[in-house]
Amino acid sequence: MLRLEELLFPSIADVAVLSVDVNAVVRVDARCTAAGAWCPGCGTWSDQIHGSYLRFPADVPSAGRSVVLRLRVRRFTYRNAECPRRTFVEQIPGLTRRHGQRTERQRSTLAAIGLALAGRAGARLADIVGVPVSRSTVLRLVDALPEPEAPAPRVVGVDEYATRKGRHYGTVLVDVETRRPVDLLPDSESSSLAAWLAQRPGIEVVCRDRAPFFAKGATVGAPQAALPCLMSHRPLEMDWGTCDRLGFAAQQRGRGGHPFVGFATGAFATAASASGRRETNSLP
């Protein structure tokens, strides 16, 4: 027969369920069964119990009902002259964290909702599934997520963004192939762009507009890269997507040399002609 621990905490070890009280809110009495714990400061193992107290972290809902754990945790003491701590409280890996009012799986669930729907819509969905939270909580959990490991970009789009329209502009860099923002630079100086590109020698194409500081920064920072010049001032909407499609098409054609340059020259000239411009030189 399936035990309560295997039903409620299938992926968490060293947890014993003492009782379950089902009402409007499901309350689960539980405790940790490990013999001791590691100090989070110095990593010393201790099994000397100093005391215990109750924690009430909120867990993921069950059948639309909110679930709250009544978790008894122990405080351990030990002697280590090199560590400033004298006592510490045990944490259950995969279930609790220090000062946390939610279990780890509820945090990850709300963070996934926030990534998909952002603040207001995410808070509404969380309320429907039985975890009423504010939009600020959803956004805070998303903000606490670690930065994902993004692959090194090969084709980069460069444009300006305004932090204060007409007064202060920065530089946004986008991976054209994945269509995801890569970084934001605090200014639109050529030296900042050149320094950013110099740290990424794998960049092969830099899509930019005709701003001279972008041309100088791209030339200095990525001399190995092709520099197609965008005809539109809306690269995020049109031209960077065009760059992506053109680069893929050129690769499919199996042309020699750089897979982007030859094809992009004629394509950008066509785009300029269609928009009523006479400038047909798409490369500097």
Side-chain angles (χ1 to χ4, degrees), residues 38-44 78 83 85 87-89 91 98:
W38 301 95
C39 172
C42 63
T44 302
Y78 66 105
C83 183
R85 298 173 183 265
T87 65
F88 65 91
V89 177
Q91 304 296 335
R98 191 183 183 194

Side-chain angles (χ1 to χ4, degrees), residues 114-189:
L115 286 173
L117 300 176
R120 296 183 187 275
R124 289 195 293 268
L125 179 60
D127 189 30
I128 292 174
V129 301
V131 188
V133 293
S134 67
R135 66 184 181 93
S136 298
T137 298
V138 175
L139 294 177
R140 186 168 58 250
L141 292 174
V142 171
D143 188 57
L145 293 173
E147 292 291 334
E149 290 292 335
R154 188 182 66 88
V155 183
V156 173
V158 183
D159 200 4
E160 290 178 308
Y161 73 94
T163 55
R164 190 172 183 182
K165 191 173 182 180
R167 296 195 177 187
H168 188 271
Y169 291 87
T171 303
V172 57
L173 298 110
V174 175
D175 187 333
V176 173
E177 294 178 312
T178 62
R179 303 189 181 186
R180 292 181 177 273
V182 177
D183 204 351
L184 296 174
L185 305 183
D187 55 49
S188 55
E189 300 294 330

Side-chain angles (χ1 to χ4, degrees), residues 17-199:
V17 177
L18 306 179
S19 65
V20 178
D21 183 18
V22 181
N23 288 303
V25 176
V26 179
R27 302 186 182 277
V28 180
D29 286 347
R31 65 179 181 87
C32 181
T33 59
W38 301 95
C39 172
C42 63
T44 302
W45 172 264
S46 176
D47 57 2
Q48 303 176 20
I49 300 176
H50 182 271
S52 66
Y53 66 95
L54 291 174
R55 293 180 63 180
F56 300 90
D59 199 9
V60 290
S62 175
R65 298 181 179 181
S66 299
V67 177
V68 176
L69 302 185
R70 189 173 181 269
L71 183 63
R72 181 164 293 277
V73 295
R74 297 165 293 178
R75 182 179 293 276
F76 292 90
T77 183
Y78 66 105
R79 295 180 180 179
N80 185 356
E82 298 179 356
C83 183
R85 298 173 183 265
R86 292 296 174 261
T87 65
F88 65 91
V89 177
E90 64 182 344
Q91 304 296 335
I92 303 176
L95 187 63
T96 64
R97 67 171 58 188
R98 191 183 183 194
H99 303 312
Q101 298 180 355
R102 310 177 188 279
T103 61
E104 291 298 289
R105 53 190 181 183
Q106 190 190 85
R107 289 177 62 93
S108 62
T109 299
L110 291 175
I113 291 175
L115 286 173
L117 300 176
R120 296 183 187 275
R124 289 195 293 268
L125 179 60
D127 189 30
I128 292 174
V129 301
V131 188
V133 293
S134 67
R135 66 184 181 93
S136 298
T137 298
V138 175
L139 294 177
R140 186 168 58 250
L141 292 174
V142 171
D143 188 57
L145 293 173
E147 292 291 334
E149 290 292 335
R154 188 182 66 88
V155 183
V156 173
V158 183
D159 200 4
E160 290 178 308
Y161 73 94
T163 55
R164 190 172 183 182
K165 191 173 182 180
R167 296 195 177 187
H168 188 271
Y169 291 87
T171 303
V172 57
L173 298 110
V174 175
D175 187 333
V176 173
E177 294 178 312
T178 62
R179 303 189 181 186
R180 292 181 177 273
V182 177
D183 204 351
L184 296 174
L185 305 183
D187 55 49
S188 55
E189 300 294 330
S190 60
S191 57
S192 299
L193 177 60
W196 190 91
L197 292 172
Q199 296 174 0

